[in-house]
């Protein structure tokens, strides 16, 4: 395959940045999208040009490190991570536009690399059960209905990639934040702290500069792990019941 | 040099309990005076950092990724073993201990493995308390499944994403301590060297991957939780960033490296499709429960397949060789990982491989689908079939899957004693980074168990014994050892940037990988290893004179990051070859063709090689010195593994 790549290049956070165009040839349809970029980078390096920087690590769709806005879609045309996207999803001669995540809370570091530490800070605000190591009950002393455990699992599969934020016109982090709040609100272990958790995590989310929910569902439509919008509804319920009830309820 | 493993005396069952009692304690008020560095935030690192912070120590945690949640533990699929015996099927701590020792082909320490089995039950309790959503039965209690190498169901799991859920649990505990101010997090920061003061580990030198700043961090103890070194083979199931640099640089400061040649090759991976390939993807070995492994009987038929003149379905039953079922009638397709991998290699070496590269065998579900229906197979393996189709573009319900073995895990690592401390006082190694508990072959679902055991339940006890004997005075970063280490790191970086050669870092990495895979992979010979050693020496020379690293240090520079890591992989590769050459026997994942039974199975030499081979760095381009730690078996009987 022969392709034309229009790629966002930005030297560092303070650089203005802009698009550069690169032709690539000899791309096999079996290559993953990132392997196609590897080919480009080898060529650029051989020519003495700075390779295109992008985030990636596990390349099996689970670490959440890869990102990329491809032809206007987070992680490209399929509902998967960029590392699991293969070149057979594109056609010979196509022009592909590649950009970093665009969100105020995810500042560009270089080229296609952005800083997603805001997500870590949201989890630090309350995305845990406050138990220390040791001194916990036997695992089977807490029976949990299978349906509840399965629903908590579905919420817990979020990989923290940020596609939800990138997909949202308001760059809202509601889907990410709600997935963790939801997982822990569903499980008996997490119920003890559910009120303070919802309040603190949402406060942190707002302070990071993420926008409000648009209610369009673009986040769930683009989520590579299929995290459901139901989680946002559950988060809203958690939040309202936290603010309108007393601390002892 | 004599290695003291510090294994406590007394009966196996009482060693750990007694050892905990005999270990010195740091009183709660004093704990806040001690600083601990944790490098790596996978299962071992995140669990250790969180647990130590909970105890009151001041922790600094480092990872090269943009967030601690991305460490490669996240990619583990199958599950985590624990001797809970919830299924009432005869499991016990002793059985888990026995299975692990035997599975490791009798090349691990009894005392360590027994402790691992003991604390395995606590891990499950801990994870459930954190809110890890394990699979459950309809009655609300935890579900288990069986896994290779065991006759009981002791594996806890969260669909095919157990590693992810366990890591996110440990990450949440870590995040809580960050919020409490007890852990300071350093993402996108890579350890470049260890700093030693008066023979003790007292800090590290790091490079900030965004700004390039080379910085020092001082502490009373340093924990390396930096994972395995499978990427020495270039292609592996490891993440792209997984590397040996932290462990290797500690090795060059004096920490012994144990059993480096013990690597695990996993039989069911998606085959390499071409030279562009950057990484290999594992598919759960549970597929071998229903899939039948085969290749054509003749080279001629295989050639037609490779040229796409015929389809797999065109090959008649009589012309197929179900080689695992033929050679191992009683275990069939379910032989252990090392045996399955080796036999796939043999048939491909004979020219009977089935894809364009000639390095693939079929894993065929035709008969299972005919027997149980497509829906049943979909319910069992649907997500794996989808993943296969996504990557290869082929539908495994209609045409047989193609698989080939790939490097998956490294059993070798930094030598540690019973306390998980290396031979450098104050330097610990946890999880896959140590040589630990898996001997020459790791059983499925045991890596997650070991990482969390080390971090949650072992090091929080053993580190106290060391720190109680260390004055709580702040470590002085103005000590010349820090400045020296910084100079050395900066020198190394400048050297790489100034070579300005003609070949990319990946070019060298790929060549290294080919040498290692061909000569130090699934089957090894003395002759091949000797050639490989020469080739690596030449490659090292060429790397340091002709590598091309663009850009500068003071920016995000992914080529420079890779160059640092590949430089260390090249040196490690040579040591792996030395180790493989030294071990004149076959055991577990280490198969020397000269040492096999008449049936072609691994032939151990317990008389001469029942020891841990720990290697001591003797200086640049010097041969490393072998230090032996004899293995003593008092509770299990050494037997020849047989799967006929």
């Amino acid at each position: 395959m022969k392709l034309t790549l229009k790629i966002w290049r930005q030297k560092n956070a303070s650089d203005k940045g802009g698009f550069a165009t690169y032709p690539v040839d000899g791309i096999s349809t079996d290559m993953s999208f990132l392997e196609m970029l590897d080919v480009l980078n080898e060529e650029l390096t051989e020519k003495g040009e700075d390779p295109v920087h992008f985030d990636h690590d596990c390349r099996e769709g689970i670490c959440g490190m890869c990102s990329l806005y491809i032809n206007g879609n987070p992680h490209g045309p399929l509902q998967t991570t960029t590392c699991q996207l293969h070149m057979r999803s594109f056609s010979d001669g196509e022009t592909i536009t590649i950009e970093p995540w665009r969100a105020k809370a995810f500042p560009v570091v270089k080229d296609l690399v952005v800083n997603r530490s805001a997500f870590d800070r949201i989890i630090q605000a309350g995305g845990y059960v406050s138990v220390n190591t040791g001194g916990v009950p036997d695992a089977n002393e807490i029976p949990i209905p299978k349906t509840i455990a399965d629903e908590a699992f579905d919420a817990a599969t979020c990989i923290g990639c940020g596609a939800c934020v990138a997909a949202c016109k308001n760059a809202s982090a509601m889907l990410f934040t709600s997935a963790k709040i939801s997982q822990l609100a569903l499980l008996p272990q997490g119920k003890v702290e559910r009120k303070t958790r919802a309040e603190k995590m949402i406060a942190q989310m707002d302070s990071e500069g993420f926008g409000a929910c648009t209610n369009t569902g673009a986040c769930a439509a683009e989520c590579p792990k299929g995290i459901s919008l139901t989680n946002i509804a559950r988060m809203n319920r958690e939040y309202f019941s936290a603010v309108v009830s007393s601390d002892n309820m | 040099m004599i290695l003291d493993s510090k294994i406590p005396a007394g009966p196996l069952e009482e060693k750990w309990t007694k050892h905990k009692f005999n270990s010195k304690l740091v009183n709660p008020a004093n704990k806040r005076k001690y600083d601990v560095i944790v490098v790596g935030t996978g299962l071992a690192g995140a669990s250790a950092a969180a647990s130590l912070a909970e105890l009151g120590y001041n922790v600094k945690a480092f990872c090269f990724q943009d967030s601690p949640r991305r460490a490669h533990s996240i990619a583990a699929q199958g599950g985590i073993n624990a001797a809970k015996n919830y299924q009432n099927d005869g499991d016990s701590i002793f059985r888990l201990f026995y299975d692990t020792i035997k599975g490791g082909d009798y090349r691990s320490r009894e005392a360590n493995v027994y402790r691992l089995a003991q604390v395995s039950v606590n891990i499950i309790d801990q994870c459930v308390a954190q809110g890890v959503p394990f699979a459950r039965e309809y009655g609300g209690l935890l579900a288990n499944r069986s896994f290779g190498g065991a006759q009981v169901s002791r594996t806890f799991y969260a669909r095919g994403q157990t590693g992810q859920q366990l890591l996110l649990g440990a990450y949440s505990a870590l995040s809580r301590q960050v919020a409490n101010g007890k852990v300071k997090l350093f993402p996108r920061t890579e350890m470049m060297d260890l700093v030693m003061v008066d023979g003790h580990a007292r800090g590290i030198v790091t490079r900030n991957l965004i700004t390039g700043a080379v910085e020092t961090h001082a502490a009373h103890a340093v924990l390396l939780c930096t994972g395995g070194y499978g990427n020495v083979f270039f292609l592996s199931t490891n993440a792209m960033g997984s590397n040996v640099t932290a462990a290797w640089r500690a090795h060059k400061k004096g920490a012994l490296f144990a059993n480096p040649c013990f690597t695990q090759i996993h039989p069911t991976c998606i085959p390499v499709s071409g030279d562009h390939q950057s990484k290999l993807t594992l598919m759960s070995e549970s597929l071998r429960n229903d899939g039948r492994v085969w290749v054509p009987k003749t080279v001629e038929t295989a050639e037609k397949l490779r040229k796409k003149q015929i389809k797999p379905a065109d090959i008649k039953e009589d012309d197929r060789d179900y080689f695992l079922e033929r050679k191992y009638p009683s275990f069939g397709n379910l032989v252990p990982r090392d045996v399955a991998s080796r036999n796939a290699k043999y048939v491909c070496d004979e020219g009977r491989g089935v894809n364009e590269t000639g390095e693939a065998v079929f894993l065929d579900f035709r008969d299972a689908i005919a027997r149980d229906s497509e829906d049943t197979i979909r319910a069992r393996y649907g997500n794996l079939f989808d993943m296969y189709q996504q990557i290869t573009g082929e539908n495994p319900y209609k045409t047989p899957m193609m698989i080939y073995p790939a490097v998956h895990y490294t059993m070798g690592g930094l030598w540690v004693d019973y306390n998980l401390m290396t031979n450098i006082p104050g330097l610990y190694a946890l999880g896959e980074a140590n040589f630990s508990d898996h001997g020459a072959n790791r059983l499925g679902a045991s890596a997650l168990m070991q990482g969390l055991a080390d971090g949650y339940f072992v090091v929080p006890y053993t580190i106290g014994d060391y720190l109680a004997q260390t004055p709580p005075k702040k470590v002085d970063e103005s000590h010349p050892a820090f400045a020296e280490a910084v100079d050395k790191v900066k020198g190394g970086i400048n050297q790489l940037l100034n070579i300005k050669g003609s070949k990319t870092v990946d070019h060298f990495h790929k060549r290294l990988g080919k040498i290692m895979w061909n000569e130090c992979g699934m089957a090894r010979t003395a002759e091949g290893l000797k050639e490989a050693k020469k080739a690596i020496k030449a490659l090292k020379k060429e790397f340091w004179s002709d590598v091309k690293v663009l850009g500068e240090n003071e920016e995000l520079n992914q080529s420079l990051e890779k160059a640092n890591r590949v430089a260390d992989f090249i040196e490690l590769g040579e040591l792996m070859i030395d180790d493989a050459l030294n071990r004149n026997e076959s055991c577990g994942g280490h198969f020397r063709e000269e040492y096999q039974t008449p049936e072609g199975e691994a032939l151990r030499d317990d008389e001469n090689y029942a020891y841990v081979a720990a290697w001591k760095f003797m200086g640049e381009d010097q041969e490393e010195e072998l230090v032996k730690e004899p293995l003593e078996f008092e509770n299990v009987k050494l037997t020849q593994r047989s799967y006929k």
Side-chain angles (χ1 to χ4, degrees):
Chain A
M1 286 169 85
K2 228 176 181 169
L3 298 162
T4 307
L5 304 175
K6 257 182 81 184
I7 301 179
W8 184 262
R9 303 298 310 256
Q10 182 174 338
K11 199 160 170 43
N12 51 46
S14 49
D15 181 30
K16 200 164 152 256
F19 283 103
T21 304
Y22 305 96
V24 282
D25 200 354
I27 299 299
S28 135
T29 51
D30 284 336
M31 284 182 188
S32 73
F33 196 84
L34 298 182
E35 285 167 349
M36 183 275 293
L37 288 179
D38 290 343
V39 170
L40 170 70
N41 275 345
E42 286 291 284
E43 283 175 16
L44 289 177
T45 307
E46 275 160 19
K47 281 195 278 183
E49 289 178 43
D50 196 19
V52 178
H53 282 62
F54 59 92
D55 266 331
H56 63 105
D57 201 26
C58 78
R59 295 205 178 185
E60 48 189 285
I62 194 74
C63 78
M65 187 116 173
C66 66
S67 52
L68 304 190
Y69 224 83
I70 302 164
N71 287 341
N73 291 93
H75 295 302
L78 305 180
Q79 201 178 357
T80 182
T81 56
T82 296
C83 66
Q84 295 297 292
L85 175 67
H86 286 74
M87 295 315 291
R88 66 182 78 93
S89 294
F90 299 87
S91 41
D92 194 21
E94 201 175 331
T95 299
I96 305 175
T97 308
I98 310 168
E99 296 169 81
W101 282 172
R102 303 285 192 191
K104 188 176 140 206
F106 291 162
V108 173
V109 173
K110 180 175 181 175
D111 296 341
L112 305 168
V113 176
V114 300
N115 182 345
R116 287 168 286 191
S117 294
F119 272 8
D120 285 326
R121 290 188 292 271
I122 292 174
I123 298 295
Q124 287 156 18
Y128 42 76
V129 177
S130 296
V131 289
N132 284 354
T133 303
V136 297
D138 183 90
N140 261 350
E141 275 180 35
I142 318 169
I144 301 171
K146 184 173 170 17
T147 47
I148 301 285
D150 286 349
E151 208 174 339
F153 174 86
D154 288 338
T157 55
C158 167
I159 56 174
C161 65
C164 48
V165 173
C168 180
K169 275 191 277 189
N170 289 357
S172 167
M174 296 279 269
L175 194 65
F176 169 80
T177 310
S178 70
K180 187 51 71 180
I181 289 179
S182 208
Q183 177 204 343
L184 296 177
L186 281 161
L187 296 171
Q189 302 94 305
K191 284 200 172 21
V192 179
E193 299 167 279
R194 64 197 291 185
K195 287 174 61 171
T196 49
R197 177 180 305 118
E199 286 176 337
K200 284 183 181 169
M201 287 180 72
I202 288 171
Q204 186 66 36
M205 178 183 84
D206 290 340
S207 76
E208 295 288 352
F210 293 106
C213 186
T214 62
N215 293 312
T216 58
C219 51
E222 295 286 0
C223 174
K225 294 293 145 181
I227 302 292
S228 149
L229 278 181
T230 316
N231 293 304
I232 297 186
R234 187 176 290 109
M235 175 172 81
N236 287 337
R237 196 164 66 231
E238 289 291 308
Y239 183 73
F240 289 129
S241 66
V243 293
V244 299
S245 62
S246 81
D247 285 348
N248 297 324
M249 270 185 71
Chain B
M1 182 174 190
I2 291 170
L3 285 173
D4 182 3
S5 60
K6 304 216 173 81
I7 294 171
L12 191 62
E13 299 78 13
E14 293 168 22
K15 283 181 196 287
W16 179 230
T17 312
K18 279 192 178 164
H19 186 70
K20 283 193 284 187
F21 181 74
N22 291 331
S23 297
K24 293 189 174 58
L25 297 172
V26 179
N27 93 49
N30 277 347
K31 286 199 179 89
R32 69 175 72 100
K33 295 177 187 162
Y34 289 99
D35 304 321
V36 180
I37 282 170
V38 179
V39 186
T41 58
L43 287 179
S47 61
S51 303
L52 294 174
E54 287 161 8
L55 287 170
Y57 297 112
N58 310 307
V59 177
K60 283 182 169 184
F62 297 82
C63 63
F64 69 79
Q65 298 92 342
D66 72 330
S67 162
R69 67 180 293 153
R70 311 218 193 274
H72 197 54
S73 306
I74 200 129
Q77 298 173 355
I80 177 167
N81 287 328
K84 280 284 197 187
N85 194 29
Y86 280 163
Q87 304 307 321
N88 195 30
D89 61 355
D91 199 10
S92 63
I93 286 167
F94 194 87
R95 190 176 294 281
L96 174 53
F97 154 76
Y98 180 79
D99 288 348
T100 308
I101 288 272
K102 181 187 170 199
D105 220 355
Y106 308 96
R107 290 294 174 264
S108 47
R109 277 189 205 137
E110 282 190 343
N112 283 53
V113 176
Y114 194 83
R115 174 178 65 189
L116 176 66
Q118 281 176 304
V119 303
S120 69
V121 297
N122 305 107
I123 296 170
I124 304 303
D125 299 343
Q126 187 62 36
C127 296
V128 166
Q130 289 168 345
V132 170
F134 281 122
R136 288 181 181 267
E137 305 289 358
Y138 282 100
L141 301 183
L142 292 162
N144 288 117
R145 62 180 164 204
S146 60
F147 232 78
Q151 290 165 301
V152 295
S153 291
R154 63 159 76 97
T155 305
F156 295 79
Y157 62 100
R159 264 177 243 167
Q161 287 154 255
T162 317
Q164 181 198 27
Q165 293 310 313
L166 295 176
L167 182 63
L168 293 182
Y171 163 75
S172 73
L174 175 68
S175 297
R176 175 172 163 246
Q177 293 308 315
V178 174
N180 285 348
K182 290 305 290 182
V183 174
K184 193 161 179 339
L185 213 54
F186 295 84
R188 292 204 199 262
T189 307
E190 184 151 16
M191 171 173 158
M192 302 299 288
D193 209 354
L194 177 72
V195 180
M196 287 170 55
V197 177
D198 301 329
H200 289 249
R202 286 291 180 256
I204 60 172
V205 178
T206 58
R207 180 171 178 270
N208 179 320
L209 300 183
I210 304 290
T211 64
V214 175
E215 291 159 332
T216 57
H217 301 271
H220 297 90
V222 176
L223 275 53
L224 300 185
C225 312
T226 48
Y229 48 85
N231 273 346
V232 69
F233 291 90
F234 183 70
L235 286 179
S236 80
T237 65
N238 283 6
M240 302 301 287
S242 301
N243 68 82
V244 77
T245 289
W248 190 252
R249 306 229 167 153
H251 172 60
K252 290 174 89 168
K253 281 278 165 86
L256 301 193
F257 209 105
N259 298 335
C261 81
F262 286 172
T263 46
Q264 181 165 75
I265 316 265
H266 198 292
T268 49
C269 297
I270 297 175
V272 175
S273 66
D275 279 342
H276 59 268
Q277 191 121 4
S278 61
K279 125 122 212 166
L280 296 172
T281 303
L282 173 75
M283 287 184 303
S284 171
E285 66 181 329
S286 61
L287 289 170
R288 286 195 281 142
N289 281 309
D290 284 302
R292 296 180 72 194
V293 178
W294 66 276
V295 290
K297 268 191 184 150
T298 65
V299 176
E300 293 71 41
T301 319
E303 258 165 20
K304 283 186 198 153
L305 261 180
R306 288 198 289 269
K307 289 181 186 150
K308 303 210 163 153
Q309 291 162 350
I310 53 170
K311 291 200 169 89
D314 300 335
I315 301 174
K316 286 200 226 70
E317 201 58 26
D318 283 352
D319 296 329
R320 299 175 175 204
D321 178 15
Y322 295 91
F323 55 94
L324 291 178
E325 295 172 24
R326 171 171 59 79
K327 286 175 77 174
Y328 307 95
S330 64
F331 275 71
N333 294 298
L334 285 173
V335 290
R337 290 176 178 179
D338 50 346
V339 179
S341 295
R342 212 151 41 232
N343 281 285
K345 175 184 159 46
Y346 290 153
V347 295
C348 292
D349 287 352
E350 288 164 17
R352 296 194 285 152
V354 297
N355 72 347
E356 284 163 61
T357 67
E359 291 194 331
V361 299
F362 287 127
L363 179 64
D364 198 341
F365 290 85
R366 184 194 65 181
D367 297 348
I369 289 171
R371 183 186 67 222
D372 296 339
S373 87
E374 190 170 317
D375 285 345
T376 309
I377 296 300
R378 181 171 285 114
R380 270 179 215 155
Y381 309 110
N383 61 330
L384 295 167
F385 278 45
D386 290 348
M387 182 173 82
Y388 182 85
Q389 186 159 10
Q390 196 164 46
I391 293 174
T392 63
E394 285 186 356
N395 179 352
Y397 295 102
K398 303 285 171 225
T399 184
M401 278 187 183
M402 288 193 268
I403 55 164
Y404 200 66
V407 175
H408 177 55
Y409 185 89
T410 52
M411 281 76 68
L414 291 175
W415 182 89
V416 289
D417 63 16
Y418 189 70
N419 294 318
L420 304 183
M421 186 149 83
T422 66
N423 57 306
I424 296 178
L427 180 70
Y428 293 77
L430 279 63
E432 193 179 349
N434 70 26
F435 86 102
S436 87
D437 306 348
H438 307 297
N441 176 54
R442 179 178 64 74
L443 289 185
S446 283
L448 303 183
M449 171 172 69
Q450 188 225 334
L452 289 180
D454 289 0
Y456 282 135
F457 296 108
V458 179
V459 93
Y461 288 94
T462 58
I463 203 171
D465 189 60
Y466 171 75
L467 292 176
Q469 301 173 64
T470 306
K473 204 168 118 292
K474 279 274 166 208
V475 176
D476 183 8
E477 267 178 74
S478 63
H479 190 283
F482 284 88
E484 267 170 42
V486 167
D487 285 348
K488 212 182 98 197
V489 168
K490 285 185 175 166
I493 290 170
N494 286 336
Q495 199 183 343
L496 282 170
L497 288 170
N498 286 324
I499 295 168
K500 300 187 192 297
S502 66
K503 299 190 183 86
T504 65
V505 179
D506 276 357
H507 166 91
F508 288 99
H509 197 177
K510 283 181 185 175
R511 277 170 60 193
L512 172 68
K514 279 214 175 93
I515 299 170
M516 295 304 292
W517 178 245
N518 289 337
E519 304 303 341
C520 200
M522 281 185 280
R524 303 151 179 194
T525 63
E527 203 185 343
L529 288 164
K530 282 178 191 153
E531 286 304 313
K533 186 167 163 108
K534 277 189 223 154
I536 290 187
K537 275 187 185 297
L539 186 74
K540 182 178 174 185
K541 223 170 141 188
E542 195 183 329
F543 176 87
W544 285 102
S545 59
D546 198 25
V547 73
K548 184 175 196 170
V549 186
L550 298 174
E552 48 198 62
N553 176 55
E554 288 72 27
E555 60 177 347
L556 178 62
N557 188 338
Q558 292 174 335
S559 308
L560 178 60
E561 292 168 26
K562 273 196 278 191
N564 268 311
R565 295 169 189 162
V566 171
D568 292 334
F569 276 134
I570 293 175
E571 296 182 4
L572 167 75
E574 192 180 335
L575 183 64
M576 288 170 71
I577 283 164
D578 287 341
D579 188 43
L581 254 178
N582 170 69
R583 195 168 280 277
N584 292 317
E585 65 163 350
S586 295
C587 57
H590 169 65
F591 191 81
R592 282 278 301 273
E593 288 184 4
E594 305 94 317
Y595 308 100
Q596 47 182 306
T597 64
E599 298 87 32
E601 303 304 326
L603 183 63
R604 281 197 327 268
D605 177 356
D606 293 329
E607 202 169 315
N608 295 304
Y609 290 94
Y611 64 74
V612 176
W615 297 87
K616 185 167 187 274
F617 182 75
M618 303 301 285
E620 297 291 342
D621 296 317
Q622 302 289 310
E623 294 296 305
E624 299 216 358
E625 186 184 298
L626 172 64
V627 186
K628 297 176 187 175
E629 182 208 329
L631 290 167
E632 280 152 36
F633 296 92
E634 293 165 350
N635 300 278
V636 297
K637 196 169 156 280
L638 276 60
T639 55
Q640 171 73 41
R641 295 194 309 167
S642 171
Y643 300 96
K644 289 280 166 190

